[in-house]
Amino acid sequence: MATRQAFDRDLAEVQQDILRMGALVEQSVYESVRSLAAQDSVLAAQVIINDERVDEFFRDLEAKIIGLIATQQPMAKDLRVVVTGIKILMDLERMSDYAVDIAQATMCMVGEPCCGSDMAEILRMGRLAQRMLKEGLDSYVEGNVEKARAMCALDDQVDYIFDHLFRALTKSMEENPAFVPSGAHLLYVIRYLERIADHATNVGEAVIYQVTGERRELN
Amino acid sequence: MSIPKISIRDLNLYYRDTQALKNIDIDIASNSISALIGPSGCGKTTFLRTLNRMNDLIEGVRIDGTVELDGRNVYSPDVDVVSLRKSVGMVFQRPNPFPMSIYDNVAYGPRVHGIRKKGRLDEIVEASLRGAALWKEVRDRLFTPAMGLSGGQQQRICIARLLAVEPEVVLMDEPTSALDPVSTLKIEELIRELKHKYTIVIVTHSMQQAARVSDITAFFLDGEMVESGDTGMMFTKPVDKRTEDYITGRFG
């Protein structure tokens, strides 16, 4: 008779739930940036509501994982799967919080004039951060170390866009003081996006640890 | 590793036609705790017993290869087995105190080795009972029967009895398998204390115990030592698939 079937089932269920939570966070990141570009406060409100569901997932999954550690004493690969689960969970929860921050910035900015060329670049940065999250979750599903590494490498691009946007936004504000209220919010927004990308690289590092047992700092 | 305390090379053991240990190679460092794990019948206890030649007593056993203690092969014809077992002592699964007082249990070994002076024996008994973390519990009743103690205390008496002859290596064969959880944790604490003075090799069925107490873990399967290494690594990232399957409980 095969051993540990119940544990395997519980572990698979936890991983499935992490992916469901991941899909929700991915949606939040996407919609937060879209709400910003479209100045859509209804969509922004949706992101904030979404975060409650993410938090619910977080609490539920955290309890399940602690339960598995307490009752099953996972070792070796199992231990790495469980630890990776907790790490990814925390990163996803944090990313959702940043999406909320972006949504709140949107709400503050509705009706304020802002520089169109900067906004296009922020959208590009948002798409990149969202892509990193998606590829991080894909690498988690597939246990694909190469994909995780390739995704982490995108963080350099995000950092580059951040530096570039930081300069562009301050310049826009200098040139046109009417942009200052929105520009100040956007400086925060690019910081949030940069942090979301950092958390995506954490997901990649966690996947590499789960598969290989090696811990690497990739951002 | 600096010069190992025990160095085993190409060790094979046969019970008549059956090979119970296959080409075992391992070095054991001084003042380390090594845990031997593996399913029943894998050879871990047999291996432990080769370290102080306990298998010599079993008919039909044939051993080749070397077990060096401080560079000297314990299977050399000139080795005195009695003095070997004084240097390499053993604690068994079930506590087996002699049917005599606590004091006489601990003084038994030194007396056999010719120590007669009461003052010296008193010193040895106290030091050994302290070493086994039992002195405070029994100092007021040293002359009562050891059999009257709890299982955990009896096991610590056996450890004190062993320490009284000043061994260098302590072998433990599932020393807590007959004990309750609290006594088990006390023995585990004691094992970690003993490490400062002795080299310890422990066979255990509890992987949690191996993880808790040992520096090095070795996994045995079908007479083969599949893998050995740093305990932290063995329990997070074993190299061999068979080790992985065993310690994650996906076996058979």
Side-chain angles (χ1 to χ4, degrees):
Chain A
M1 192 185 115
T3 52
R4 310 217 77 175
Q5 286 181 32
F7 175 55
D8 284 340
R9 228 178 5 251
D10 289 345
L11 214 51
E13 211 176 277
V14 164
Q15 286 178 300
Q16 281 301 320
D17 279 350
I18 289 173
L19 290 173
R20 285 194 193 97
M21 177 177 169
L24 214 55
V25 176
E26 203 186 315
Q27 188 189 341
S28 283
V29 171
Y30 173 67
E31 288 181 350
S32 68
V33 180
R34 211 160 62 91
S35 74
L36 182 77
Q39 300 277 292
D40 183 342
S41 54
V42 176
L43 194 56
Q46 190 54 51
V47 171
I48 294 166
I49 293 167
N50 229 3
D51 186 53
E52 285 170 22
R53 286 179 63 206
V54 170
D55 287 347
E56 230 169 82
F57 260 114
F58 178 79
R59 281 191 298 271
D60 181 44
L61 278 167
E62 189 189 47
K64 273 189 190 157
I65 292 178
I66 290 171
L68 284 180
I69 293 172
T71 59
Q72 301 290 335
Q73 289 113 36
M75 293 278 198
K77 179 81 190 278
D78 294 337
L79 180 62
R80 303 205 302 270
V81 168
V82 164
V83 169
T84 300
I86 285 198
K87 284 170 122 176
I88 292 181
L89 204 58
M90 293 173 78
D91 284 312
L92 289 176
E93 194 272 338
R94 208 75 198 97
M95 283 189 248
S96 179
D97 288 346
Y98 285 125
V100 167
D101 290 334
I102 294 170
Q104 282 170 341
T106 299
M107 288 174 152
C108 295
M109 283 170 56
V110 171
E112 296 281 352
C114 73
C115 178
S117 61
D118 294 338
M119 190 55 95
E121 194 68 350
I122 290 173
L123 266 178
R124 191 161 86 87
M125 187 180 181
R127 275 197 299 271
L128 200 53
Q130 183 209 338
R131 179 179 150 201
M132 286 176 70
L133 171 56
K134 182 183 181 302
E135 289 179 7
L137 291 170
D138 287 348
S139 70
Y140 180 57
V141 177
E142 298 164 16
N144 188 331
V145 171
E146 280 318 304
K147 192 173 266 185
R149 282 215 177 92
M151 178 277 286
C152 291
L154 293 175
D155 192 47
D156 288 343
Q157 282 186 47
V158 172
D159 289 346
Y160 177 80
I161 298 173
F162 173 82
D163 289 339
H164 165 74
L165 266 171
F166 189 89
R167 282 193 298 273
L169 283 167
T170 43
K171 191 158 171 266
S172 297
M173 287 189 276
E174 274 167 13
E175 287 171 356
N176 187 350
F179 290 159
V180 169
S182 64
H185 283 298
L186 291 177
L187 282 177
Y188 278 115
V189 165
I190 61 171
R191 183 72 187 154
Y192 300 144
L193 289 174
E194 192 267 333
R195 293 300 297 147
I196 287 174
D198 283 346
H199 284 284
T201 62
N202 287 351
V203 171
E205 287 167 5
V207 170
I208 292 168
Y209 174 70
Q210 174 173 302
V211 176
T212 66
E214 281 160 29
R215 284 187 302 235
R216 289 276 155 79
E217 193 73 40
L218 293 176
N219 68 355
Chain B
M1 196 190 301
S2 51
I3 300 164
K5 182 74 186 168
I6 307 173
S7 182
I8 291 115
R9 289 289 174 275
D10 295 323
L11 182 71
N12 289 285
L13 183 144
Y14 307 84
Y15 284 120
R16 299 199 167 83
D17 298 334
T18 316
Q19 187 167 5
L21 292 176
K22 300 169 188 167
N23 298 312
I24 310 288
D25 270 322
I26 187 174
D27 286 336
I28 295 169
S30 284
N31 302 99
S32 66
I33 303 174
S34 305
L36 313 178
I37 60 169
S40 296
C42 68
K44 57 191 188 295
T45 294
T46 303
F47 172 74
L48 190 77
R49 293 164 63 95
T50 60
L51 303 183
N52 69 348
R53 293 185 53 174
M54 293 284 278
N55 293 310
D56 289 15
L57 309 170
I58 300 166
E59 207 180 315
V61 165
R62 189 161 57 80
I63 294 169
D64 57 53
T66 56
V67 175
E68 289 186 351
L69 177 68
D70 292 325
R72 186 168 178 227
N73 187 5
V74 304
Y75 285 95
S76 292
D78 58 337
V79 164
D80 171 20
V81 176
V82 174
S83 81
L84 170 69
R85 291 190 191 135
K86 180 171 173 287
S87 319
V88 185
M90 194 156 193
V91 179
F92 299 88
Q93 276 186 36
R94 294 196 165 272
N96 53 354
F98 301 138
M100 47 180 79
S101 73
I102 293 169
Y103 185 98
D104 288 338
N105 261 277
V106 182
Y108 188 88
R111 280 177 176 143
V112 167
H113 289 98
I115 297 173
R116 290 279 177 269
K117 281 186 183 159
K118 190 174 175 306
R120 179 73 191 119
L121 283 174
D122 286 352
E123 279 169 21
I124 293 173
V125 168
E126 179 175 340
S128 305
L129 286 169
R130 282 188 190 280
L134 196 58
W135 174 250
K136 284 183 188 160
E137 289 166 57
V138 301
R139 65 181 162 196
D140 300 329
R141 45 174 167 153
L142 290 176
F143 299 98
T144 61
M147 304 295 248
L149 297 171
S150 73
Q153 288 172 325
Q154 288 188 18
Q155 193 61 303
R156 281 181 282 148
I157 283 286
C158 297
I159 292 171
R161 192 173 64 193
L162 183 146
L163 301 185
V165 297
E166 298 179 329
E168 294 167 38
V169 178
V170 177
L171 308 179
M172 298 183 160
D173 188 3
E174 295 182 47
T176 63
S177 63
L179 303 182
D180 67 85
V182 174
S183 306
T184 296
L185 290 174
K186 280 188 184 166
I187 298 280
E188 287 180 7
E189 279 300 314
L190 175 59
I191 292 171
R192 274 201 294 267
E193 280 299 311
L194 293 176
K195 169 186 152 162
H196 300 297
K197 287 171 83 173
Y198 311 94
T199 301
I200 296 163
V201 186
I202 175 171
V203 163
T204 175
H205 265 302
S206 158
M207 278 179 289
Q208 305 300 331
Q209 180 166 71
R212 282 193 298 263
V213 303
S214 71
D215 305 308
I216 298 292
T217 298
F219 171 56
F220 282 72
L221 185 66
D222 294 334
E224 195 187 328
M225 197 182 71
V226 172
E227 185 174 351
S228 72
D230 173 77
T231 296
M233 287 300 281
M234 286 283 282
F235 286 100
T236 52
K237 194 189 159 192
V239 174
D240 196 289
K241 170 86 168 58
R242 291 169 293 173
T243 317
E244 173 90 41
D245 285 347
Y246 181 72
I247 66 179
T248 58
R250 290 177 183 81
F251 195 75

